[in-house]
Amino acid sequence: MLVKVIIKRNVREGKEKHFFSLLKNLRFNAMHQKGYISGETLICAENTNRVVVISKWESLEDWSNWKIDIKRREIDARLGELQDNPTIYEPYVFSKYKAAAEQGFPPPLQKQRL
């Protein structure tokens, strides 16, 4: 089941350069984790200190394993020192996959025999 994780952060004024350097390091490490598919970083057009990271994972278990990884927690703690508020993590599953699985249908990306 594919998972997208929405991560919201508020960067403290004047800490942007260091923040984005650490964020890049975090992404680099995530790319080597089991189940990592992709990620993107969005900066709010109306408030450039608001940052959203969207990462895609093969499963909720893969994301959960990365979230508790010691290296990730170390970098995340350093990012937290550069933020105004705590980080918000919101994992989401694709509704069509969840609904199909609950009904016993094969995953939508799997070819079905007619």
Side-chain angles (χ1 to χ4, degrees):
M1 178 183 313
L2 290 176
V3 175
K4 279 195 178 184
V5 181
I6 313 296
I7 303 169
K8 300 176 183 178
R9 301 177 186 270
N10 291 314
V11 185
R12 191 172 300 138
E13 193 72 38
K15 302 295 182 179
E16 297 87 357
K17 185 175 181 178
H18 190 209
F19 176 87
F20 284 108
S21 175
L22 286 171
L23 197 60
K24 183 187 263 187
N25 189 356
L26 190 63
R27 169 81 47 80
F28 175 80
N29 283 279
M31 290 171 58
H32 301 289
Q33 300 304 307
K34 178 185 176 297
Y36 178 83
I37 298 171
S38 66
E40 61 184 314
T41 300
L42 305 171
I43 299 170
C44 180
E46 296 175 352
N47 178 350
T48 57
N49 290 81
R50 290 177 52 197
V51 177
V52 172
V53 172
I54 303 171
S55 62
K56 189 186 296 185
W57 296 82
E58 290 180 10
S59 72
L60 190 55
E61 181 181 10
D62 291 334
W63 155 248
S64 296
N65 288 336
W66 170 236
K67 188 175 181 193
I68 63 171
D69 181 90
I70 188 70
K71 181 71 172 173
R72 194 207 68 80
R73 290 187 310 167
E74 288 172 2
I75 298 169
D76 190 60
R78 292 169 56 201
L79 283 166
E81 295 170 2
L82 306 174
Q83 296 175 201
D84 288 325
N85 301 311
T87 303
I88 298 171
Y89 299 94
E90 299 175 334
Y92 293 87
V93 296
F94 286 84
S95 61
K96 65 181 179 179
Y97 292 105
K98 187 174 186 319
E102 288 173 351
Q103 295 176 26
F105 297 123
L109 296 178
Q110 184 177 4
K111 291 184 179 180
Q112 298 180 23
R113 295 179 191 220
L114 300 176

